[in-house]
Amino acid sequence: MRSLVLIGHGSHLNGESAVAVYRYAELIRQRGLFDEVIEGYWKEEPSLRQVLRTTASTDVTVIPMFISEGYFTETVIPREMGLGHQGPVPPEGVARVIGGRTVRYTLPYGVHPSMTDVILARAREVLPDASPEDTALIVLGHGTTRNENSNKIVYQNADRIRESGQFAEVQALFLDEDPKVGTWPETVRSPRVVVVPFFASEGWHTLETIPEDMGLTGTVTDFPDNPHGHQQVFYAKPVGTHAAVADVILHLAEEASGAGGPGGDTERGHEAAWQAFLKGARAGLRIGEVLVTPELGVFELRNALDEGRPGGELTTLVTPEGVRDQVRFTDGGEHRPVHTLRNLPRGWRAVLSEADLRRAMHYVYPAVIEETYAHDCHALRPTPWATTARRQTGIYAKVQKATPAQVEHVAQDVCTGCLRTRLWAGQRLTHSFLDGVPGGIPCAEACTFVVAEVREEVSGKRGGGGH
Ligand code: SF4
């Protein structure tokens, strides 16, 4: 049995941030090569602190869904996941045994050599007859002062493509450092120029900054009066959103774990947690704001506030992904980075098999089944605020200055709206939803949403209503 975990950044504010990782997880799930594909996030749930506990096997491969190495892949992810590693990840990855699971952490997908094929695929999309006679390729990177590795990978890809002889010339240019993209008319000579952004996703840079810096007006732009004569620029979509990235992820995973290897076993604590939940579900159960009702061999999920409403008045969902997309936003359309906040949308019901019920519950309340069961078995260790604060780096290091009163002020504001009981602040949970108390859900450690709010509090920028 093998589990694959894809790690994304996520966002406290933007509900679309996690979508690319969801989509890749779906594509890889369809290939059936892993027994499960789980997503985890820095700023959403399941969080980096929780995600390993949500994996069903003892053989776990973790892939950071980032375009380059840097602060998140070398510092934040290994630290938060407890990998006992900091700094550059070696090409063979990092392997650790954590809580009975063998965990392999790989380089980010963007640095894999097969990304060269994705660049070429993007180039062909926008100019199918690109030729070594008259076409130049620009591989366009962000450029950063924070980490020179992100540029290294752009140069490596440009070198590989240059050596393949498929283009008359190949250049690596950057948005934020030399050689800058705006210099292209002086350095690129070919009459046809393909530009492929080496970016993770479509966004401000690919839609605005790059076109502005290059003078582009659409997918194809003519430049009749350039220093080297008339040139035509073909602007491709970013590499990170190409479906072939799924193949890159699988290459990485196979290299890390050994294709077709024996894999691991079912993780016993995880399975016991879900069996405890399913036992309750077969009898009918309320967990948080959700009602689980057995119905002739399937299960119905709905918001408990919709109890008794005729099914015809509710939107019926039939897949875990449908449930996931339904519960990502409040009734008012606001993003829900913390799923245990009491703002689950109403007006839907899901009808699911037992296998799909497990996946749907994972989406409704990520890590809640596993953490609650662990709590009930006295195996969930709380992390006090001081420990969480000490661990923070970068812009969040500032939370170390927060006074207990400031932390409590934020918690009173944010956590009061959450189902979880703050074990990290010394609160006690005597009964859980597994004992029939729907709101009995432990919080072992301050979530990143609260950490971010404490930072705002320390900075004096906090309005008091949360993000
Ligand atoms: Fe909920 Fe507060 Fe725990 Fe975050 S820190 S999960 S808001 S109880």
Side-chain angles (χ1 to χ4, degrees):
M1 187 175 195
R2 299 195 300 163
S3 302
L4 179 66
V5 176
L6 305 183
I7 299 292
H9 188 285
S11 168
H12 294 150
L13 302 166
N14 176 5
E16 297 309 310
S17 172
V19 172
V21 177
Y22 283 157
R23 296 285 171 258
Y24 286 124
E26 275 167 28
L27 281 174
I28 294 171
R29 221 171 266 132
Q30 284 161 13
R31 311 265 182 109
L33 298 172
F34 283 82
D35 295 280
E36 64 175 3
V37 184
I38 305 257
E39 307 98 57
Y41 301 94
W42 167 227
K43 292 198 167 181
E44 296 186 36
E45 294 175 326
S47 72
L48 300 175
R49 303 291 289 173
Q50 300 167 324
V51 69
L52 283 180
R53 204 187 273 276
T54 70
T55 57
S57 90
T58 57
D59 181 298
V60 183
T61 302
V62 180
I63 299 186
M65 294 298 293
F66 288 75
I67 197 88
S68 64
E69 296 165 275
Y71 176 59
F72 285 104
T73 63
E74 295 177 354
T75 302
V76 176
I77 300 172
R79 181 192 74 208
E80 296 293 300
M81 292 188 75
L83 293 173
H85 174 90
Q86 287 284 279
V89 174
E92 68 278 13
V94 172
R96 295 281 186 272
V97 175
I98 303 173
R101 291 175 172 89
T102 300
V103 180
R104 295 180 202 82
Y105 179 63
T106 74
L107 286 164
Y109 79 87
V111 308
H112 194 272
S114 58
M115 282 303 286
T116 305
D117 298 331
V118 182
I119 296 172
L120 290 170
R122 277 291 188 227
R124 274 194 297 273
E125 274 174 3
V126 77
L127 185 61
D129 68 340
S131 106
E133 313 302 320
D134 67 353
T135 313
L137 173 69
I138 295 175
V139 184
L140 180 49
H142 186 286
T144 173
T145 50
R146 198 187 239 175
N147 188 334
E148 63 188 26
N149 278 342
S150 75
N151 297 355
K152 191 174 76 185
I153 204 69
V154 173
Y155 281 118
Q156 282 173 353
N157 278 295
D159 289 347
R160 274 197 288 266
I161 297 171
R162 192 177 301 115
E163 281 161 21
S164 76
Q166 298 180 56
F167 291 87
E169 51 188 321
V170 180
Q171 294 208 7
L173 298 179
F174 300 94
L175 261 187
D176 272 5
E177 63 181 64
D178 293 332
K180 283 217 170 104
V181 65
T183 62
W184 77 271
E186 287 97 63
T187 56
V188 179
R189 296 167 170 271
S190 303
R192 300 195 298 170
V193 182
V194 179
V195 179
V196 179
F198 198 75
F199 280 66
S201 58
E202 201 80 271
W204 181 56
H205 284 311
T206 58
L207 296 173
E208 292 187 34
T209 325
I210 297 170
E212 202 174 295
D213 287 6
M214 293 192 72
L216 308 180
T217 52
T219 307
V220 184
T221 309
D222 275 299
F223 293 86
D225 303 317
N226 271 0
H228 297 291
H230 183 235
Q231 288 179 301
Q232 217 173 16
V233 173
F234 299 81
Y235 185 43
K237 291 194 175 305
V239 290
T241 54
H242 196 288
V245 167
D247 296 313
V248 177
I249 296 165
L250 285 173
H251 280 313
L252 256 175
E254 284 170 5
E255 286 162 14
S257 60
D265 301 315
T266 299
E267 209 287 323
R268 278 184 295 179
H270 180 273
E271 187 56 24
W274 282 95
Q275 288 308 327
F277 165 74
L278 287 172
K279 187 171 165 219
R282 287 179 200 124
L285 172 81
R286 196 177 143 193
I287 163 171
E289 295 180 280
V290 168
L291 201 58
V292 184
T293 313
E295 266 184 14
L296 302 171
V298 293
F299 294 87
E300 193 213 52
L301 285 187
R302 61 168 71 187
N303 189 317
L305 294 174
D306 288 328
E307 186 173 11
R309 277 180 73 185
E313 288 180 11
L314 306 172
T315 303
T316 299
L317 310 167
V318 293
T319 62
E321 285 74 22
V323 174
R324 175 196 69 199
D325 294 341
Q326 184 74 40
V327 302
R328 285 175 52 222
F329 298 95
T330 67
D331 279 328
E334 281 180 28
H335 175 43
R336 301 179 67 236
V338 181
H339 284 233
T340 44
L341 287 178
R342 288 192 201 89
N343 54 14
L344 186 75
R346 297 181 58 180
W348 57 276
R349 67 194 274 267
V351 182
L352 302 159
S353 67
E354 193 166 288
D356 281 349
L357 174 69
R358 282 177 67 147
R359 290 188 49 228
M361 280 310 302
H362 170 79
Y363 285 131
V364 175
Y365 287 134
V368 159
I369 307 292
E370 295 90 346
E371 289 188 342
T372 305
Y373 183 78
H375 170 266
D376 290 3
C377 296
H378 309 287
L380 185 70
R381 207 161 26 151
T383 304
W385 167 260
T387 308
T388 303
R390 250 195 325 271
R391 222 180 47 234
Q392 304 303 313
T393 52
I395 61 168
Y396 293 107
K398 192 180 259 191
V399 302
Q400 291 159 17
K401 294 190 188 142
T403 63
Q406 284 175 311
V407 176
E408 190 53 29
H409 181 237
V410 169
Q412 285 293 334
D413 188 23
V414 179
C415 303
T416 311
C418 185
L419 291 159
R420 291 186 186 253
T421 297
R422 286 185 290 139
L423 308 185
W424 59 267
Q427 294 178 350
R428 293 194 53 188
L429 181 68
T430 49
H431 296 285
S432 75
F433 67 84
L434 291 168
D435 313 314
V437 177
I441 301 173
C443 178
E445 177 164 356
C447 64
T448 62
F449 186 77
V450 160
V451 172
E453 286 294 311
V454 171
R455 175 177 174 264
E456 296 288 288
E457 180 82 9
V458 173
S459 308
K461 294 184 194 152
R462 198 159 177 278
H467 276 171

